[in-house]
Amino acid sequence: MSVQLFEQSLEPYALLLAHESQLQPGSYGATASFVGSMRDFNEGDTVEGMFLEHYPGMTERELEVIERRAREQWDLLDVLIAHRVGQICPSDPIVLVAVWSAHRAAAFAACRSIMEDLKHNAPFWKRETLSTGQNRWVESNTPG
């Protein structure tokens, strides 16, 4: 499965290796990957945790649309999108995007495009807990 959501810890590098082991050896020449982790700061405040909400079913469908758009634009052998939901702590991995293709140009471009598309269009909602104990919704993404 190319799109996966995790309510518990996400082990991006184990997922990457497991997924890659299922691909035909020699069928790709490039792998590009991105791993995003939770920061302990945002908008000038110290962040102690975050709850990442999603709409089950809708979120997976949107991630599949994002994957399909990338496959239509570039010649890709395979794509893996893995994302955390639920309670997350600083330094926890949140997202893995990995792309396999024959050549690096397609792999780099597709990986970045998928990540940007995900950040701007995937239905996730972030509620941060600050060091003051205050909770707040994250209303916008940071620039890439």
Side-chain angles (χ1 to χ4, degrees):
M1 175 179 270
S2 295
V3 170
Q4 301 174 36
L5 296 181
F6 292 83
E7 293 189 13
Q8 302 300 318
S9 67
L10 170 64
E11 302 294 337
Y13 302 105
L15 278 174
L16 181 75
L17 290 175
H19 194 88
E20 190 170 272
S21 73
Q22 298 171 11
L23 301 178
Q24 175 74 30
S27 63
Y28 55 93
T31 305
S33 64
F34 174 86
V35 175
S37 303
M38 185 188 157
R39 296 182 311 270
D40 65 357
F41 61 94
N42 193 27
E43 299 179 6
D45 295 309
T46 300
V47 180
E48 293 189 341
M50 178 173 67
F51 194 86
L52 191 54
E53 293 193 14
H54 75 295
Y55 191 82
M58 184 174 84
T59 301
E60 291 90 334
R61 280 192 303 277
E62 184 59 31
L63 293 174
E64 290 165 359
V65 167
I66 290 168
E67 176 193 356
R68 195 168 32 254
R69 277 196 292 261
R71 287 179 180 272
E72 290 169 0
Q73 190 166 357
W74 292 280
D75 186 15
L76 305 176
L77 176 66
D78 209 351
V79 174
L80 173 62
I81 301 171
H83 209 290
R84 273 292 310 273
V85 295
Q87 188 64 46
I88 300 171
C89 295
S91 81
D92 285 352
I94 298 175
V95 62
L96 164 68
V97 173
V99 175
W100 290 264
S101 67
H103 303 286
R104 68 185 180 279
F108 280 134
C111 187
R112 182 178 182 103
S113 176
I114 290 169
M115 193 59 225
E116 295 300 325
D117 203 358
L118 186 157
K119 290 291 285 185
H120 293 96
N121 298 310
F124 292 105
W125 298 272
K126 299 174 182 175
R127 189 180 63 235
E128 295 175 330
T129 301
L130 305 180
S131 61
T132 61
Q134 178 188 10
N135 292 312
R136 71 178 176 199
W137 290 101
V138 176
E139 296 183 5
S140 63
N141 292 318
T142 56

